[in-house]
Each structure stands twice: as structure tokens, then as C-alpha cells.
Amino acid sequence: LEAALAYEQFAKLHPKNAKVDYAMFRIGESYWQESPEEVDREQDYTKKAVYEWGKLIEQKPDSKFSKQAADLVKVGKRRIAESIEFIADFYCKLEIYHACAYRFIQLADEFAEYTDLRRKALTKAADSLDKLADAKEKDPTSDKNLYFASLSAQDMRARAANFRRLLGDLKP
């Protein structure tokens, strides 16, 4: 983390230096070294690394470090997506369906490029919304519907049906 700060300081003070692309790459790499490979761990450093490499790719697309950064961004984004999937599965296992649906919707929206994860996310989000709709019909004032409290049971079922339609549009 100290290295990341030092490279950030260099890049900030010397934005036109010929080696600023190297410093930008190393910022991401410094965060990457702190990030866990296990998807059941917090991925804040992975997110920081992906963000920093994204800046490098955008600002210095012709840099020799941009290709390597792009490859690592792919690995990092997949790891972040799998981490969200892990958290969502945990909530589903505990039958906390509002959190399960919320996380799977997040996964489907933010990581649509991973068709396998999107397919699972849309399926699980739809199933969770249906369970929330059932619960809302039984007890409309229940706090088991925290994230979707403003939606009626009918609205939740409509969203679930829409997710299932989206599933039909996905290529195998």
C-alpha cells in the first residue's frame, strides 16, 4: 500500500513524465498484490486495482503496460463478480430473499458480460422476488422485504417475469 501511494504521488507530480504509464500500472499492481484470490473475502483492493488499470488503459492506450493491464482487469472483474455471487448465495442459503435478490440483480446488471453468471443471477433474482411476493401477500408489513418494500407483490412478480424473459434472450 505504501508503494501504491508513492506511485500515485509520482504520477500526480509528474503527469508528463515518460514513465508515468509504468507508475500507473504499478499503482494497480500494488493494490492487486493486497487483494485476495478467494472470492469469499472482501474485494476492495481488487476493485481499486481494476479502477487504476482502467485509468491507465483509458489515458495511455498505446502504453506497453495497457495490454497487460487489460488482461488483469478481466481477471479482476471476474473475481469481483464471483465474490458478489458468493455473497448472494449466502443470503439465499439463509433465506434472506430481499438481500439475495438485490445482490443477484446487481450481478446481472454490472457483470452482464459473464453469461454464465448472468444466467444464474437472473434465475435466482426471479425466484427470490417470487418468494418475496409470496411473503408480502401473507404479511404486507413484514420487514423481510427491506430492499423492495415500496414494491407490491404484483410488481415483484412482474420483475421476476421480466428477468425470466431476459433469460430467454441469453445465448447458450
Side-chain angles (χ1 to χ4, degrees), residues 147-159:
Y147 293 122
F148 303 100
S150 63
L151 296 178
S152 68
Q154 184 179 3
D155 292 336
M156 284 186 256
R157 291 194 197 288
R159 285 188 83 181

Side-chain angles (χ1 to χ4, degrees), residues 8-42:
E8 285 172 5
Q9 191 69 11
F10 175 84
K12 189 176 185 180
L13 293 174
H14 309 285
K16 296 189 188 291
N17 187 291
K19 298 206 181 239
V20 76
D21 59 336
Y22 172 76
M24 293 173 78
F25 178 78
R26 294 289 293 177
I27 294 167
E29 190 175 46
S30 297
Y31 287 126
W32 186 253
Q33 290 176 4
E34 294 295 319
S35 66
E37 290 183 29
E38 302 85 4
V39 297
D40 63 341
R41 306 268 316 276
E42 183 59 55

Side-chain angles (χ1 to χ4, degrees), residues 23 31 38 44-45 49-50 70 84 89 98 121 125 131 133 141 148 153 159:
Y31 287 126
E38 302 85 4
D44 281 347
Y45 289 123
V50 167
I84 293 170
D89 281 335
H98 63 96
K131 288 177 181 171
T141 61
F148 303 100
R159 285 188 83 181

Side-chain angles (χ1 to χ4, degrees), residues 26 54 77 89-90 94 103 107 121 125 139 153 172:
R26 294 289 293 177
K77 285 181 80 172
D89 281 335
F90 174 78
L94 294 178
R103 292 294 183 152
L107 180 62
D139 182 6

Side-chain angles (χ1 to χ4, degrees), residues 33-88:
Q33 290 176 4
E34 294 295 319
S35 66
E37 290 183 29
E38 302 85 4
V39 297
D40 63 341
R41 306 268 316 276
E42 183 59 55
Q43 294 298 320
D44 281 347
Y45 289 123
T46 306
K47 291 174 188 174
K48 287 181 180 183
V50 167
Y51 174 77
E52 293 298 334
W53 285 326
K55 286 190 335 190
L56 168 63
I57 294 163
E58 182 182 315
Q59 294 174 16
K60 307 282 184 185
D62 297 329
S63 166
K64 66 181 181 180
F65 299 103
S66 289
K67 167 71 172 106
Q68 188 177 359
D71 293 341
L72 289 166
V73 163
K74 289 177 188 172
V75 174
K77 285 181 80 172
R78 179 69 188 208
R79 185 186 299 168
I80 294 165
E82 289 175 355
S83 178
I84 293 170
E85 176 190 33
F86 176 83
I87 294 165

Side-chain angles (χ1 to χ4, degrees), residues 96-157:
I96 304 173
Y97 294 114
H98 63 96
C100 174
Y102 176 82
R103 292 294 183 152
F104 275 122
I105 291 168
Q106 175 190 17
L107 180 62
D109 288 347
E110 293 179 21
F111 299 94
E113 67 266 32
Y114 304 116
T115 310
D116 60 326
L117 296 179
R118 183 167 170 79
R119 185 178 318 289
K120 178 182 178 181
L122 291 170
T123 301
K124 292 279 202 159
D127 293 345
S128 296
L129 286 170
D130 281 337
K131 288 177 181 171
L132 286 170
D134 291 343
K136 187 146 197 161
E137 288 171 346
K138 289 178 187 167
D139 182 6
T141 61
S142 172
D143 64 353
K144 292 186 179 207
N145 189 10
L146 198 59
Y147 293 122
F148 303 100
S150 63
L151 296 178
S152 68
Q154 184 179 3
D155 292 336
M156 284 186 256
R157 291 194 197 288

